[in-house]
């Protein structure tokens, strides 16, 4: 007679069903193919569950508390990153995303596992919170779950969960402020610590010019500023970048798209797009996301036995394609600047992203060009649309490019958007320009470098995505600020030529 599942098996099966989609989504970003993504996710899930059990059964310290650990999802995502690092060390790096391999062998990666006081402020702040508070913050801010779902999942009162979330945000800020002060830092950084705390407390406070210059060059203080600034919508990016590092913004966008699909607020899914993800190159089928068949099959095979799974050596599946797909790198969390910085013209670094639920992606489409002189840019968030006329096409011939502008998310004084351009011509380099009509400012961009002069924004190709095939697409994403009105931009051009809008 087979052994009956133990209560621990049942608990881990429940955790599996709640967390597997998140783990697989990040593993998919980290790997070069769907088979290796499943393998990485499975190994990481086993490692993460082992670490969680060890932390739960660790002896109580003199303070009366057990050693703090991250909530389950960020703990498992960290296990994905650590498992990928183990693959790289064991000579299996060819199964990983090439840009992840570069990051794993850089000083940036060493910060996440090095001396505790040198680790990112967000990681230390989240770990220093009570696990229940930290989990509430992560589920609401990063996983983008509706508060009603968060309340159900954590057993909270739906009536007061929003108030509790506000209190937890303030608590996280307090922990991050303390962690920042505890960080060994240069005298100049120390001299700005009190001013940084004061400036980030208020949404109306102006950032002094000298502090702004300092934040533009000091990764440590810029990370702290992103965690301390609870307004402006930058908290989710600060959280995910500080906890998992590479691919954080791409993961964040995937989770937001997954939440939109669950709520029925996303765009219609075509046969070529799984939850908004663009098709992969080289004929490689992508992992099913957002809790669809892939997760269901894995649950039936793995969930109850996850605690007994041996740690694999990370050996790759020879059938997995090692070709690089069309996923596009995202900005490194170290480059995040506070949204109040008056000169947000930094360059996004090359950390990798994935398909369209990844940051800066939008479903790739190739609609017929609109009639001459009637192009428009449409931004959508939920069921609301804003349409703005674009510059008329200068000739009778169809435009050589088409642009799709998607308003992914919007909050009180900030927003997140993606731009996808389809070009009829092969490109060896590209520059996309547009104009804002309402004074919006771009504060951060990934998969392109940004500059802004008044309302005119220029996005130049990064060094890793300059080449675009004829009838191919390029895409990038950004965060911005707005006040009063946030209408869609207009006058899109690609390398100086006007684009029609879809």
């Amino acid at each position: 007679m087979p052994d009956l599942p133990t209560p621990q098996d049942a608990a881990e099966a429940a955790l599996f069903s709640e967390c597997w989609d998140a783990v697989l989504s990040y593993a998919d970003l980290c790997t070069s193919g769907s088979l290796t993504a499943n393998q990485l996710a499975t190994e990481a899930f086993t490692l993460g569950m082992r670490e969680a059990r060890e932390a739960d059964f660790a002896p109580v310290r003199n303070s009366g508390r057990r050693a703090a650990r991250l909530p389950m999802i960020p703990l498992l995502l960290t296990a994905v990153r650590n498992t990928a690092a183990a693959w790289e060390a064991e000579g299996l790096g060819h199964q990983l995303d090439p840009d992840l391999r570069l990051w794993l062998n850089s000083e940036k990666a060493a910060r996440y596992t090095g001396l505790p006081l040198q680790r990112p402020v967000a990681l230390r702040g989240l770990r220093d919170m009570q696990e229940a508070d930290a989990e509430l913050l992560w589920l609401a801010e990063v996983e983008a779950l509706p508060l009603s779902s968060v309340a159900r999942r954590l057993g909270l009162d739906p009536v007061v969960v929003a108030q509790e979330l506000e209190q937890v945000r303030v608590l996280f800020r307090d922990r991050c402020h303390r962690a920042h002060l505890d960080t060994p830092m240069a005298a100049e950084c120390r001299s700005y610590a009190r001013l940084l705390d004061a400036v980030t407390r208020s949404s109306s406070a102006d950032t002094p010019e000298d502090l702004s210059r300092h934040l533009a060059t000091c990764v440590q203080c810029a990370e702290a500023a992103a965690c301390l600034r609870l307004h402006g919508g930058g908290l989710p990016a600060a959280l995910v970048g500080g906890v998992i590092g590479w691919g954080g913004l791409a993961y964040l966008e995937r989770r937001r798209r997954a939440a939109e699909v669950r709520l029925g607020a996303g765009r219609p899914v075509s046969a070529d797009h799984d939850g908004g993800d663009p098709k992969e190159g080289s004929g490689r089928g992508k992992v099913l996301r957002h809790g669809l068949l892939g997760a269901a099959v894995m649950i039936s095979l793995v969930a109850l036995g996850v605690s007994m799974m041996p740690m694999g050596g990370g050996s790759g599946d020879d059938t997995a394609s090692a070709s690089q797909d069309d996923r596009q790198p995202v900005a490194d969390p170290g480059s995040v600047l506070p949204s109040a910085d008056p000169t947000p013209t930094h360059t996004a670094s090359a950390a990798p992203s994935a398909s369209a639920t990844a940051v800066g992606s939008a479903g790739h489409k190739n609609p017929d060009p609109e009639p001459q002189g009637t192009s428009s840019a449409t931004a959508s968030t939920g069921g609301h649309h804003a349409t703005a006329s674009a510059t008329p096409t200068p000739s009778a011939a169809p435009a050589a490019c088409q642009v799709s502008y998607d308003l992914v998310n919007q909050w009180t004084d900030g927003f997140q958007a993606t731009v996808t351009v389809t070009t009829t011509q092969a490109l060896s380099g590209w520059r996309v320009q547009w104009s804002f009509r309402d004074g919006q400012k771009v504060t951060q961009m990934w998969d392109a470098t940004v500059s802004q002069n008044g309302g005119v924004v220029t996005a130049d190709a990064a060094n890793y995505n300059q080449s675009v095939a004829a009838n191919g697409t390029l895409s990038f994403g950004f965060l911005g600020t707005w006040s009063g009105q946030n209408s869609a931009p207009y006058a899109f051009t690609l390398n100086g030529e006007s684009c029609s809008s879809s």
Side-chain angles (χ1 to χ4, degrees):
M1 178 178 178
D3 294 335
L4 295 175
T6 66
Q8 180 176 330
D9 291 333
E12 290 183 356
L15 281 173
F16 186 93
S17 65
E18 291 177 350
C19 303
W20 175 255
D21 187 49
V23 174
L24 184 59
S25 182
Y26 187 47
D28 187 47
L29 284 171
C30 295
T31 52
S32 59
S34 58
L35 292 177
T36 48
N38 272 284
Q39 181 182 354
L40 179 63
T42 302
E43 291 188 18
F45 201 98
T46 307
L47 174 63
M49 291 301 300
R50 183 186 305 160
E51 292 176 349
R53 287 196 300 272
E54 290 173 355
D56 289 341
F57 290 101
V60 176
R61 301 181 299 186
N62 293 335
S63 62
R65 293 174 56 191
R66 288 188 174 87
R69 73 166 174 87
L70 293 170
M72 186 55 66
I73 290 182
L75 184 147
L76 291 170
L77 299 179
T78 301
V80 172
R81 187 194 65 212
N82 292 341
T83 304
W87 283 19
E88 175 69 18
E90 294 164 3
L92 301 171
H94 61 280
Q95 299 183 82
L96 302 174
D97 185 286
D99 290 302
L100 171 59
R101 299 186 67 186
L102 291 174
W103 187 85
L104 288 172
N105 290 286
S106 71
E107 293 181 358
K108 295 175 183 178
R111 289 188 60 212
Y112 290 80
T113 55
L115 297 174
L117 289 182
Q118 298 286 3
R119 294 176 188 174
V121 167
L123 176 61
R124 292 154 57 196
L126 192 69
R127 189 185 292 273
D128 196 36
M129 296 170 64
Q130 293 288 338
E131 187 180 340
D133 292 336
E135 189 169 15
L136 169 59
L137 186 67
W138 186 273
L139 292 178
E141 297 289 352
V142 178
E143 300 302 316
L145 296 179
L147 288 185
S148 57
S149 299
V150 174
R152 261 194 322 272
R153 187 156 164 175
L154 300 182
L156 301 175
D157 183 351
V159 176
V160 299
V161 66
Q163 182 180 353
E164 290 192 31
L165 178 59
E166 285 302 316
Q167 294 173 349
V168 166
R169 287 189 181 116
V170 174
L171 181 62
F172 174 73
R173 186 193 189 282
D174 176 68
R175 295 293 190 269
C176 289
H177 179 52
R178 186 169 65 187
H180 180 56
L181 295 179
D182 290 342
T183 303
M185 62 180 77
E188 182 182 15
C189 298
R190 184 71 62 184
S191 69
Y192 281 118
R194 181 174 295 182
L195 177 60
L196 181 62
D197 177 40
V199 166
T200 54
R201 284 184 182 275
S202 171
S203 59
S204 59
D206 294 328
T207 304
E209 186 177 349
D210 57 338
L211 176 58
S212 178
R213 286 196 300 268
H214 178 70
L215 294 176
T217 58
C218 179
V219 170
Q220 212 171 50
C221 291
E223 286 180 347
C227 295
L228 298 178
R229 193 185 301 276
L230 298 183
H231 50 83
L235 180 58
L239 259 174
V240 74
V243 172
I244 66 176
W246 185 91
L249 290 175
Y251 175 81
L252 180 66
E253 175 61 10
R254 285 191 168 199
R255 304 315 291 159
R256 291 192 180 282
R257 289 293 182 92
E260 289 176 1
V261 169
R262 284 193 295 268
L263 293 173
R267 291 187 303 173
V269 180
S270 70
D272 292 336
H273 301 292
D274 177 9
D277 290 345
K279 292 193 300 183
E280 292 191 329
S282 307
R284 179 160 55 82
K286 204 63 175 168
V287 180
L288 290 174
R289 303 177 180 85
H290 313 319
L292 299 179
L293 289 179
V297 173
M298 290 300 295
I299 288 173
S300 64
L301 296 177
V302 183
L304 293 179
V306 68
S307 62
M308 298 179 285
M309 287 192 294
M311 275 299 293
S315 57
D317 191 316
D318 293 336
T319 63
S321 169
S323 61
Q324 186 176 4
D325 61 21
D326 59 358
R327 295 178 300 180
Q328 300 164 344
V330 299
D332 185 86
S335 66
V336 176
L337 297 181
S339 59
D341 190 337
T343 55
T345 57
H346 65 286
T347 300
S349 61
S353 132
S355 24
T357 23
V359 168
S361 62
H364 287 222
K365 346 181 236 189
N366 189 16
D368 296 331
E370 297 182 357
Q372 177 186 353
T374 61
S375 57
S376 63
T378 301
S380 64
T381 174
H384 303 285
H385 299 271
T387 303
S389 296
T391 300
T393 307
S395 67
C401 53
Q402 291 180 321
V403 62
S404 173
Y405 175 81
D406 294 303
L407 186 60
V408 176
N409 198 10
Q410 179 174 295
W411 47 94
T412 305
D413 54 358
F415 67 100
Q416 178 180 344
T418 61
V419 176
T420 302
V421 181
T422 301
T423 173
T424 60
Q425 303 171 352
L427 305 176
S428 57
W430 50 265
R431 166 174 287 186
V432 177
Q433 287 186 315
W434 69 86
S435 294
F436 281 122
R437 65 178 76 247
D438 299 320
Q440 297 98 321
K441 298 291 184 183
V442 176
T443 58
Q444 183 181 351
M445 183 172 286
W446 48 91
D447 297 333
T449 59
V450 63
S451 60
Q452 184 167 355
N453 183 12
V456 179
V457 180
T458 301
D460 289 306
N463 57 8
Y464 49 78
N465 62 0
Q466 296 186 11
S467 298
V468 182
N471 299 314
T473 58
L474 62 96
S475 65
F476 51 90
F478 63 90
L479 298 177
T481 60
W482 65 284
S483 177
Q485 191 170 350
N486 186 23
S487 57
Y490 64 101
F492 280 93
T493 65
L494 173 63
N495 293 342
E497 296 188 20
S498 297
C499 295
S500 62
S501 299
S502 56

